[in-house]
Amino acid sequence: DSIGILMGDSDYTFGAIADFAPLAGGGVAVLDRIAERVSLFDGEGVFVRSFGRHGEAPGEFQWPASLCVLPSGTILVLEGASGKVDVFDPAGVFMSSWTMEGMGIYPMEVEAFDDSSFVAYDFSMDMDENGLSTLFTLWRYDAFTGGVRARYVTWEAPASESTDFTEAFLVFATDGAGSVYLSRAASDRWMVEVFGAGESPADTLLC
């Protein structure tokens, strides 16, 4: 199946799809970075409604980058440059907004943790006399207040004279029911850590 057309009805055309997430009942929410809006489609791919536009007022976006839908149906939109999080109810009605503490330059991935919180993976880069240093963080936030519930990873790679960029191979997934799976890969090992609500792994798989 597919959703979207090249030309025609504006409800089905996209400028640039930044992110998408499944909805309860088989539908999908699609975040369009160019139009700066979220479009909701049902399980058959039929347009239901859209919300959001460019601006600074409540419910408006400035470079939306990521989308997350909690199991409860609450929809979160993260703005890339500012770390602002806009919270909407399942119908797309604006509820609140807040700014992520500790957020870097770009939220690379966000996923639902449970009905009231989500996990965000982001990074920032700084330049000094030795080159670029990078900072990767994986934190869990309260979806409605912005409070930090857990700091799973804060991984920093300082700049060095031998390289301009230090790679980090960190990938995570959640099950939406209270578990986080963090994959770490290096040249000599690969492991997957399983986290719950706490900041220490509940289990580790070494490969």
Side-chain angles (χ1 to χ4, degrees), residues 1-4 12 26-28 41-48:
D1 202 359
S2 63
I3 299 173
Y12 293 90
V28 64
F41 300 87
D42 68 15
E44 300 298 321
V46 177
F47 174 79
V48 177

Side-chain angles (χ1 to χ4, degrees), residues 13-161:
T13 58
F14 303 109
I17 297 175
D19 205 353
F20 70 95
L23 301 171
V28 64
V30 181
L31 174 61
D32 190 327
R33 180 176 294 144
I34 299 299
E36 297 188 306
R37 71 182 180 194
V38 176
S39 297
L40 306 181
F41 300 87
D42 68 15
E44 300 298 321
V46 177
F47 174 79
V48 177
R49 68 178 63 88
S50 64
F51 57 90
R53 63 180 181 180
H54 178 77
E56 299 180 3
E60 298 178 342
F61 306 130
Q62 296 276 344
W63 200 73
S66 301
L67 174 75
C68 178
V69 179
L70 304 184
S72 62
T74 301
I75 300 170
L76 310 173
V77 178
L78 283 73
E79 299 183 17
S82 64
K84 178 184 172 187
V85 178
D86 297 289
V87 185
F88 300 86
D89 72 9
V93 177
F94 176 78
M95 298 173 64
S96 63
S97 65
W98 49 272
T99 301
M100 294 172 68
E101 175 190 338
M103 220 285 292
I105 297 299
Y106 185 70
M108 293 192 292
E109 184 68 30
V110 293
E111 291 193 18
F113 181 82
D114 55 21
D115 280 339
S116 62
S117 64
F118 69 97
V119 178
Y121 175 37
D122 62 84
F123 81 99
S124 60
M125 293 187 295
D126 292 309
M127 176 71 75
D128 60 24
E129 64 275 4
N130 295 319
L132 284 173
S133 62
T134 59
L135 175 65
F136 292 82
T137 62
L138 181 65
W139 291 9
R140 182 162 64 93
Y141 296 87
D142 186 290
F144 302 99
T145 68
V148 175
R149 292 196 179 178
R151 294 175 172 86
Y152 295 118
V153 174
T154 299
W155 188 89
E156 187 170 9
S160 67
E161 296 179 355

